[in-house]
Amino acid sequence: MNTEKILEKGRTDLRWLIETSFSLVDKDSRRVAFKFNRAQDHYWSRISARDIILKARKEGFSTIRLARMVAKCMTMKNRHCVVVSHEEKSTQRLLERAVYLLENSLIKVNYTVTGNNIRFPDTESKIWIGTAGSRAFGRGDDITDYHLSEFAFWTNSGLLVGIEEACMNDAEGCIESTANGWGTPYHKIWQAAERKEGVKAADLGPKFYKPHFYGWFWDNNYQVKAPRPLDEFNEYERWLVSTYNLTHHQLLWRRLKIESMPDPAKFEQEYPATPEEAFLVAGAMVFSPQAVRQQEAQARPILWQGEVRDKGGKIVLEPTKTDPVTNINPGHLRVWLPARKGQHYIITGDVASGIESPPDEEIDETGCFSAWDIYDASSWEQVAQWHGLIEPDAFGEIGVMLGMLYNEALLAPEVNNHGLVTCKTIEGMGYRHLYEREENKGGTTLGFYTMPGATGTRARMINSLRATLRDMTIKINSPTTFSELRSFVKKANGKMGPQPSCFSDTVITACIASVLLEDCVNIPEKKSEGGRQRLSIMNRATPGGLQSPRRGGYG
């Protein structure tokens, strides 16, 4: 078969062309024929127009995507391919790898290499290989294929927007990376991809990604021949065997690898068995991953989701629907258990500015989202949560409505920063059960003061929640809270807080609840229904004041 015939066949069978013509250097520095490994073989049959790959280290996905681009440029007209890496050294390696594929190909084609560009004169196709941030992309770039390598480590994840804007209608793209923490831009794209998995491809559009996860055991090199069957398995190893049918050879490799690592705690991040393990920041998470995982396994499903509103002085609950394409319900209020007659509740609040940070600016310590968390004072279970972008005074009004819904619950918002506005709003509305401290801090006794030096300091709050989570004394139900618990870490400067681009609103509300419940804070008895009349300041034209919805209002 001559070159022309081979290229013609390769145009419709890229894998055949790659495995027939290309070679590469293996881990023993030998030149060998390009044969797909187990993970590459599995992924190739599942490639879509937009893929996001989460993986363990060195499983060959950059190589397979690069070979695919080279094969396309050899056989197809006007392919404009882009490969972007996170650092200069990786960029150089990818460029050298692409050139190696061409130089050692059994099928010789015309190509030129100028700087970071490889051009194919016969097909008028090209590949640009560069580093994130080294150039910008826009509509005029006409990208047909892109591969974003180690995206989790990019310093400017906003570059993805420009690349997507530059894509042609039939473009094929892939984001590939090991993980670099929970709540990061890469993690958020992965979560969005997981939510959309199962939705018809025709409904998704070009910017929706299909998730592909490959744990360490997909690599057949990750095993060591065991001279005899391993005698004992720990609980986690038993889970690996039962879930993934791993062999003694694979488990022995895992044990030896952990022993050889300078920081064994990072094994799960570098060589994950699940997506959750991949995104955990090993050794830096403040809250026990096992405790969070156990809490999550026992969490209740959402009973109701929607909005709470003041309509003419009455509390109205409006259900919201899940978007069939994004699989997201926009409702700010999520309810797991409705209020029970005669039961006491505590509602804790974290107050933010209500101003969303621009995409190119780092989120400040005060954040932008506010959260109310409602806890049953007897069972210590999280029964509802309101979370959203809102001004501090309007947030106070939401708190009052939630308080009335839950039997005039004790409201305990954080008072520092923007919280004083929320506390003053609640006080001005005549709500009777607003948490007050004995000491005057920040010019007020209202609300829960979390600054250093105050009763219930940040360190005490965090350590209280660490203990109650671990002991299952407190019970969490919110997916938002679980996500923020995982991205709450000990930083290089020794301080505890959210990772960059992450939030801690619901962590703070859970911390406040843990401290108050541990202290058995006095919850005022509900004297009468008359408290509702004092709330008419919300709507002075309504003589009846604010009223709760009728029984069965969670519709």
Side-chain angles (χ1 to χ4, degrees), residues 494-507:
K495 293 183 179 180
M496 294 181 284
Q499 293 183 106
S501 302
C502 299
F503 298 96
S504 60
D505 321 303
T506 61
V507 171

Side-chain angles (χ1 to χ4, degrees), residues 152-227:
F153 298 88
W154 286 21
T155 56
N156 179 18
S157 58
L159 183 63
L160 175 61
V161 176
I163 291 174
E164 278 285 3
E165 290 294 329
C167 282
M168 304 292 283
N169 291 334
D170 64 343
E172 181 180 285
C174 177
I175 301 173
E176 162 267 324
S177 189
T178 50
N180 187 30
W182 197 278
T184 58
Y186 176 64
H187 177 238
K188 290 174 182 176
I189 296 172
W190 174 264
Q191 285 184 311
E194 282 192 314
R195 286 196 301 267
K196 297 173 184 71
E197 189 173 35
V199 180
K200 292 180 180 179
D203 297 331
L204 297 182
K207 296 184 182 179
F208 289 80
Y209 289 83
K210 178 181 178 181
H212 305 266
F213 172 73
Y214 293 91
W216 64 267
F217 38 78
W218 275 93
D219 192 327
N220 290 331
N221 292 308
Y222 293 160
Q223 52 186 313
V224 173
K225 187 170 183 178

Side-chain angles (χ1 to χ4, degrees), residues 69-347:
M69 288 183 181
V70 171
K72 282 188 175 185
C73 288
M74 290 171 63
T75 61
M76 301 178 189
K77 289 280 190 180
N78 301 313
R79 304 307 294 186
H80 296 169
C81 305
V82 169
V83 181
V84 186
S85 184
H86 66 302
E87 62 180 7
E88 287 290 345
K89 288 182 179 179
S90 297
T91 298
Q92 187 61 33
R93 283 196 296 268
L94 288 169
L95 180 61
E96 291 171 356
R97 194 172 300 165
V99 173
Y100 184 91
L101 292 175
L102 287 163
E103 284 182 345
N104 294 277
S105 173
L106 298 179
I107 304 303
K108 302 301 180 182
V109 297
N110 294 324
Y111 69 92
T112 61
V113 181
T114 306
N116 285 17
N117 288 281
I118 304 174
R119 296 182 180 275
F120 299 79
D122 295 339
T123 59
E124 298 182 309
S125 295
K126 61 184 178 181
I127 303 175
W128 180 86
I129 303 176
T131 307
S134 61
R135 62 164 290 188
F137 292 91
R139 293 183 184 275
D141 286 296
D142 296 337
I143 295 172
T144 61
D145 302 81
Y146 66 83
H147 179 72
L148 313 183
S149 180
E150 293 299 342
F151 182 82
F153 298 88
W154 286 21
T155 56
N156 179 18
S157 58
L159 183 63
L160 175 61
V161 176
I163 291 174
E164 278 285 3
E165 290 294 329
C167 282
M168 304 292 283
N169 291 334
D170 64 343
E172 181 180 285
C174 177
I175 301 173
E176 162 267 324
S177 189
T178 50
N180 187 30
W182 197 278
T184 58
Y186 176 64
H187 177 238
K188 290 174 182 176
I189 296 172
W190 174 264
Q191 285 184 311
E194 282 192 314
R195 286 196 301 267
K196 297 173 184 71
E197 189 173 35
V199 180
K200 292 180 180 179
D203 297 331
L204 297 182
K207 296 184 182 179
F208 289 80
Y209 289 83
K210 178 181 178 181
H212 305 266
F213 172 73
Y214 293 91
W216 64 267
F217 38 78
W218 275 93
D219 192 327
N220 290 331
N221 292 308
Y222 293 160
Q223 52 186 313
V224 173
K225 187 170 183 178
R228 61 181 182 277
L230 302 180
D231 295 330
E232 295 182 4
F233 295 153
N234 60 34
E235 183 179 351
Y236 182 77
E237 288 173 334
R238 286 194 293 273
W239 175 78
L240 285 175
V241 171
S242 63
T243 306
Y244 300 108
N245 197 30
L246 299 194
T247 67
H248 290 248
H249 309 310
Q250 290 172 306
L251 291 179
L252 180 58
W253 175 87
R254 180 181 179 275
R255 290 180 183 183
L256 294 175
K257 186 65 179 178
I258 291 173
E259 289 178 4
S260 68
M261 294 180 71
D263 185 358
K266 289 188 175 180
F267 178 85
E268 289 186 354
Q269 184 180 352
E270 298 283 346
Y271 301 95
T274 66
E276 178 192 19
E277 285 183 359
F279 288 109
L280 296 182
V281 182
M285 280 185 65
V286 170
F287 301 99
S288 162
Q290 292 78 18
V292 175
R293 192 179 297 126
Q294 186 179 6
Q295 289 268 351
E296 197 170 34
Q298 298 184 26
R300 296 178 186 270
I302 295 173
L303 172 69
W304 182 92
Q305 187 165 356
E307 304 293 348
V308 56
R309 305 190 192 281
D310 166 35
K311 293 290 183 71
K314 295 182 179 181
I315 301 175
V316 176
L317 292 171
E318 298 178 348
T320 51
K321 295 181 179 180
T322 299
D323 187 293
V325 174
T326 64
N327 202 28
I328 295 174
N329 189 316
H332 293 96
L333 176 61
R334 287 181 285 187
V335 175
W336 291 275
L337 288 171
R340 289 185 295 139
K341 185 176 181 181
Q343 183 58 42
H344 293 301
Y345 296 91
I346 289 177
I347 304 182

Side-chain angles (χ1 to χ4, degrees), residues 382-506:
Q382 181 188 43
V383 297
Q385 183 180 81
W386 191 98
H387 185 258
L389 198 68
I390 191 171
E391 293 84 357
D393 57 335
F395 183 62
E397 295 175 0
I398 294 289
V400 168
M401 288 190 282
L402 295 175
M404 297 304 294
L405 284 172
Y406 279 85
N407 303 343
E408 293 189 49
L410 176 68
L411 291 182
E414 182 185 33
V415 71
N416 35 297
N417 293 320
H418 307 284
L420 183 58
V421 174
T422 299
C423 289
K424 288 295 185 182
T425 299
I426 295 170
E427 183 184 45
M429 292 174 65
Y431 191 78
R432 298 181 301 176
H433 298 162
L434 175 60
Y435 179 75
E436 289 195 54
R437 293 164 283 104
E438 292 183 0
E439 73 276 19
N440 186 316
K441 293 286 184 180
T444 182
T445 59
L446 299 176
F448 194 95
Y449 197 73
T450 64
M451 296 297 284
T455 301
T457 60
R458 189 178 181 86
R460 189 211 163 183
M461 289 165 48
I462 293 169
N463 287 320
S464 170
L465 183 59
R466 292 174 74 187
T468 54
L469 279 173
R470 184 186 62 245
D471 299 339
M472 296 293 289
T473 309
I474 200 168
K475 186 177 187 304
I476 305 296
N477 289 313
S478 168
T480 302
T481 305
F482 290 130
S483 180
E484 291 188 357
L485 287 169
R486 288 187 170 102
S487 62
F488 199 85
V489 299
K490 184 176 180 180
K491 303 180 181 181
N493 60 9
K495 293 183 179 180
M496 294 181 284
Q499 293 183 106
S501 302
C502 299
F503 298 96
S504 60
D505 321 303
T506 61

